[in-house]
């Protein structure tokens, strides 16, 4: 019963990873690329982690997958902020730190 749901979640996560990659290649400027990529990849990773957690069936493994996803969320938010600030400084000619 959980296998079809797990495969559907993993497939949906892979779709969001692909959508983020397409956005990275197609959007015109750095900030829109960064926004689309971080949103799509975070959602994609969450769906893949949830699908894998359902597939394993063990609580410890599921908790570890959720922890990995939460750490990736925190890291991507920090990195997106730093990259966005650097892009704005570069585009407006402001000096760096």
């Amino acid at each position: 019963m959980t296998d079809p749901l797990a495969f559907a979640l993993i497939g949906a996560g892979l779709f969001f990873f692909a959508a983020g990659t397409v956005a990275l290649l197609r959007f015109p400027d750095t900030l829109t690329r960064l926004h689309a990529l971080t949103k799509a990849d975070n959602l994609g990773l969450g769906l893949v982690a949830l699908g894998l957690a359902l597939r394993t069936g063990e609580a410890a493994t599921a908790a570890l997958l959720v922890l990995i996803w939460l750490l990736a969320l925190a890291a991507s938010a920090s990195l997106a902020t730093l990259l966005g600030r650097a892009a704005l400084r570069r585009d407006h000619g402001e000096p760096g730190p």
Side-chain angles (χ1 to χ4, degrees), residues 1-3 8 15 17 20 25 28 33 56 70 76-77 83 86 92:
M1 176 69 183
T2 60
D3 281 347
F15 170 78
F17 277 129
L25 298 174
R33 289 177 182 171
T56 62
L70 292 175
S76 70
L83 288 173
H92 295 297

Side-chain angles (χ1 to χ4, degrees), residues 23-70:
L24 179 66
L25 298 174
R26 299 283 300 176
F27 282 167
D29 65 342
T30 304
L31 294 180
T32 55
R33 289 177 182 171
L34 187 62
H35 176 75
L37 184 64
T38 55
K39 299 302 178 198
D41 281 353
N42 286 334
L43 182 58
L45 180 61
L47 290 172
V48 168
L50 184 59
L52 290 175
L54 285 176
R55 183 87 172 108
T56 62
E58 297 179 9
T61 305
L64 185 61
L65 286 168
V66 169
L67 179 64
I68 290 169
W69 179 53
L70 292 175

